Amino acid sequence: MAGGHVMAVGPIRHYEGRTTVYVALACILAASGGLIFGYDIGISGGVTAMDDFLTKFFPTVERNKNRVSSSDSDYCKYNNQGLQAFTSSLYLAALVASFFASFTTRLLGRKITMLIAGLSFLCGATLNAAAQDLAMLILGRILLGVGVGFANQAVPLYLSEMAPAKLRGGLNIMFQLAITIGILCANLINYGTNKATPWGWRLSLGLAAVPAIFLTLGGLICPETPNSLIERGHLEKGRAILVKIRGTENVTAEYEDMLEASEIANQVKHPFRNILQRRNRPQVVMALLIPFFQQFTGINAIMFYAPVLFSTIGFGKNASLYSAVITGAVNVVATLVSLASVDKWGRRILFLEGGIQMFVSQVLIAIILAVKFGGDKTLSKGEATGVVILVCVYVAAFAWSWGPLGWLVPSEIFPLETRSAGQAITVSTNMLFTFVVAQAFLTILCHFKYGIFLFFAGWVVIMTVFTSLFLPETKGVPIEEMIHVWRQHWFWKKIVPSAEEMGIKPPTVVNGGDVEKPKQVS
């Protein structure tokens, strides 16, 4: 079959309502949870390039950094397992925390989970700013990781459930926009604190408390989602919130779908066991492969270590931080492009265009470094500028495709009864491979040299082919009606049981074209 595109036809209902100021403000505040993740991604690479930080915690790296280069050492001067552990320990903690967060989002709600994330991040930021030794530094990173795990579990779900279907993509992408703003802010802060010796790195790490405060406020102020309230038995309150966020009293169709989804969800006592059923097979595949592919675009390797990477290929200390600021700004602007276009053009076209653009830019970067850098060769000013431009082209492609869509698509495809478990799989897979990339990147860079970009380009080819063939379009489909998308897909319809097989009567058309809600066969 040629591809995976399907039209949203058949028994998919569309709900009434509009985007209210109330839901927009709630989503903005909740999306600030992405600031936590983004700030950490950006701050780590800048701090690990600061001499004062390296002298205190990683003196071996500091000596290697300032040593006269040999033919192999240009790519290897930052290769240190302890330094990589500083960056990657957060993501290992986030992986474990995401499973606990799955239970809190289901049993306590999305709002409480965001509050836990904010408080944990506050504690971690305080420890890191005051760190006196490596153990204290790593402990702070672990607490930050717990915050990231809980935030990444709750915030995408919160945004997908609060947003009206026609704008779900754009509002959910606010999470990724917050991540990119966090990265840019971190790069700007690193550029400034790099000159504040010997305590600049403490300020960089301590300012992580600022996004944590925003998320904590979100956990206190934002309303709970109607889906979560109904799932936990608060029916009247759930309907009242639904009326408020949709701006209309006519929410009967959406409310009935939530009630039905809640009834099914409450019958499921073991969501992780239920998620393995055949009807959930395509969602599980996406929850595993999309975050895996997202990390193997190579983006976090570049964002974690952007100053280190630019320093490695010959930029001065301040120039490398400045270049990281430029890529961070491109990241923000390109995410705005995705936010504006995802509900107009759909998910698939952004995935496919972004994949092609990332592949081309990575191959060109590898060619320039292979021919012009290493050993006795250094990049000229023009060549170095070309590398920065190509990195920006690559970052832009990621920022309007795999960056936001890697969080959006998994958060919108699961039914209510397995939504928390599905998001836990997404977050834990993302954190596992973020950990792997963060822990291994500097070592791989040392051995692969310019080939690191070809390595990631190869993965980009694989993921682009995968999305072309196996990912259906989910634009505009109500979140509780998503099952029909899989039943209409050329491949997944062979796996997902039909409504008749599941004991559900087929829908009937009434009132001149409206679809009557399917009923469970007794």
Side-chain angles (χ1 to χ4, degrees):
M1 198 72 180
H5 180 69
V6 298
M7 295 296 295
V9 296
I12 295 177
R13 302 204 294 177
H14 297 278
Y15 308 134
E16 292 193 26
R18 57 188 173 83
T19 305
T20 61
V21 173
Y22 184 74
V23 73
L25 291 175
C27 287
I28 289 171
L29 200 53
S32 67
L35 290 171
I36 287 179
F37 196 20
Y39 188 86
D40 177 79
I41 290 172
I43 216 70
S44 300
V47 166
T48 53
M50 293 182 186
D51 288 339
D52 293 325
F53 177 82
L54 293 175
T55 299
K56 184 170 182 62
F57 297 107
F58 306 99
T60 302
V61 178
E62 199 273 335
R63 288 193 295 270
N64 289 341
K65 175 185 174 183
N66 296 313
R67 192 172 58 192
V68 177
S69 299
S70 66
S71 59
D72 293 322
S73 66
D74 286 325
Y75 285 99
C76 299
K77 54 189 175 183
Y78 287 97
N79 181 21
N80 180 276
Q81 289 298 309
L83 182 62
Q84 292 175 124
F86 163 73
T87 299
S88 64
S89 57
L90 182 149
Y91 302 99
L92 191 60
L95 188 162
V96 176
S98 64
F99 286 101
F100 291 97
S102 169
F103 291 101
T104 62
T105 52
R106 180 178 169 89
L107 301 176
L108 302 178
R110 285 54 163 155
K111 178 177 173 175
I112 293 295
T113 306
M114 289 192 292
L115 181 60
I116 294 171
L119 293 173
S120 176
F121 212 81
L122 273 171
C123 294
T126 303
L127 271 178
N128 271 353
Q132 297 300 315
D133 52 39
L134 186 58
M136 191 173 176
L137 193 69
I138 297 296
L139 178 59
R141 295 286 294 174
I142 289 171
L143 285 173
L144 294 177
V146 172
V148 167
F150 274 76
N152 287 10
Q153 171 73 17
V155 172
L157 287 185
Y158 185 91
L159 297 173
S160 287
E161 292 177 349
M162 290 291 281
K166 62 183 179 181
L167 294 175
R168 186 177 61 244
L171 288 177
N172 192 288
I173 284 174
M174 289 170 63
F175 177 67
Q176 178 67 19
L177 178 62
I179 291 177
T180 63
I181 292 172
I183 292 171
L184 176 59
C185 289
N187 288 335
L188 289 168
I189 288 167
N190 281 335
Y191 185 70
T193 58
N194 183 53
K195 302 170 185 177
T197 56
W199 47 268
W201 63 269
R202 292 190 186 276
L203 183 58
S204 287
L205 295 177
L207 285 175
V210 175
I213 291 171
F214 278 110
L215 185 60
T216 303
L217 288 175
L220 292 171
I221 296 172
C222 290
E224 184 58 270
T225 71
N227 310 65
S228 179
L229 288 168
I230 292 169
E231 182 183 16
R232 291 180 288 126
H234 306 294
L235 304 186
E236 291 186 7
K237 190 173 181 181
R239 184 183 175 92
I241 291 292
L242 186 60
V243 168
K244 195 169 185 178
I245 65 177
R246 296 294 180 254
T248 177
E249 293 288 338
N250 191 11
V251 295
T252 302
E254 187 172 4
Y255 180 68
E256 286 180 353
D257 278 349
M258 288 183 183
L259 280 178
E260 182 184 11
S262 175
E263 290 172 5
I264 296 172
N266 288 329
Q267 294 171 6
V268 176
K269 303 302 179 185
H270 305 286
F272 281 99
R273 188 183 305 166
N274 182 270
I275 207 171
L276 298 177
Q277 293 180 1
R278 190 160 63 103
R279 70 186 297 262
N280 294 316
R281 199 73 49 79
Q283 296 96 313
V284 171
V285 170
M286 296 301 164
L288 288 169
L289 288 185
I290 287 178
F292 168 80
F293 286 145
Q294 187 189 53
Q295 291 312 305
F296 276 82
T297 60
I299 187 64
N300 276 346
I302 288 176
M303 286 308 197
F304 287 149
Y305 300 114
V308 170
L309 181 64
F310 287 128
S311 176
T312 294
I313 60 177
F315 288 67
K317 181 171 63 175
N318 288 333
S320 65
L321 288 171
Y322 183 67
S323 300
V325 170
I326 293 173
T327 58
V330 169
N331 200 10
V332 173
V333 173
T335 303
L336 288 171
V337 173
S338 183
L339 191 151
S341 60
V342 68
D343 289 312
K344 181 179 180 181
W345 299 341
R347 284 64 162 152
R348 280 172 48 82
I349 191 170
L350 293 178
F351 268 128
L352 299 177
E353 191 284 331
I356 294 169
Q357 187 172 322
M358 283 191 293
F359 172 78
V360 172
S361 56
Q362 285 174 315
V363 170
L364 290 177
I365 291 170
I367 291 172
I368 291 174
L369 295 182
V371 174
K372 298 293 186 178
F373 179 75
D376 297 329
K377 295 178 290 185
T378 58
L379 295 177
S380 68
K381 184 176 180 180
E383 291 160 352
T385 301
V387 169
V388 173
I389 291 172
L390 286 170
V391 169
C392 288
V393 170
Y394 162 78
V395 168
F398 176 85
W400 61 54
S401 61
W402 279 92
L405 300 182
W407 292 106
L408 166 62
V409 172
S411 74
E412 67 182 358
I413 59 178
F414 281 94
L416 184 61
E417 69 268 21
T418 56
R419 195 168 297 152
S420 292
Q423 186 67 9
I425 291 173
T426 299
V427 174
S428 59
T429 303
N430 189 293
M431 293 301 109
L432 172 62
F433 289 102
T434 303
F435 166 78
V436 170
V437 170
Q439 185 64 31
F441 175 70
L442 295 179
T443 301
I444 296 174
L445 178 64
C446 177
H447 293 286
F448 280 30
K449 302 178 175 58
Y450 63 85
I452 188 72
F453 291 98
L454 297 177
F455 171 78
F456 287 126
W459 280 107
V460 168
V461 171
I462 294 170
M463 64 187 74
T464 302
V465 171
F466 173 83
T467 54
S468 175
L469 293 176
F470 298 109
L471 182 67
E473 183 57 72
T474 57
K475 179 188 73 172
V477 181
I479 196 168
E480 304 300 353
E481 300 280 320
M482 200 65 69
I483 184 67
H484 303 296
V485 170
W486 306 108
R487 288 178 179 148
Q488 295 163 10
H489 185 269
W490 73 271
F491 178 79
W492 297 117
K493 68 182 180 181
K494 304 171 187 176
I495 295 172
V496 177
S498 66
E500 291 79 4
E501 288 178 286
M502 293 178 61
I504 300 175
K505 290 181 180 179
T508 56
V509 178
V510 296
N511 298 331
D514 291 337
V515 178
E516 186 177 51
K517 189 165 177 259
K519 302 294 184 183
Q520 188 79 29
V521 177
S522 59

